[in-house]
Amino acid sequence: MFAENFNPLAALAAARCPRCHAVGLVEIDAEVHDKAPEADKHQARYHISPSLYAQCPVCGLVGEWPGVTDH
């Protein structure tokens, strides 16, 4: 569970895409994530629970955030 004072949508808006490095990811649902081409699915090095499905509006990369990082 996220901490009560944590705003995941605000954090997504400040997150950097690991592929194109644009700032600002948007929340998507599981269906959008699942239908994305494999080439556009980020393979996280680790899984964090809970997580949100997110997409980069610039390059289309999708993944589970906060596992979608450029580290």
Side-chain angles (χ1 to χ4, degrees), residues 4 7 11 19 22-23 27-28 36 41 43 46-47 49 54 56 60 67:
E4 286 182 31
N7 181 338
R19 179 163 60 186
V23 175
E27 184 177 10
I28 58 172
K41 289 184 180 176
Q43 298 302 314
Y46 51 88
H47 178 76
S49 183
C56 174

Side-chain angles (χ1 to χ4, degrees), residues 2 11 16-18 20 23 25-26 34 36 41 45 54 56 60 71:
F2 291 122
R16 188 173 296 275
C17 174
C20 74
V23 175
L25 303 177
V26 294
D34 294 346
K41 289 184 180 176
R45 293 183 208 163
C56 174
H71 301 294

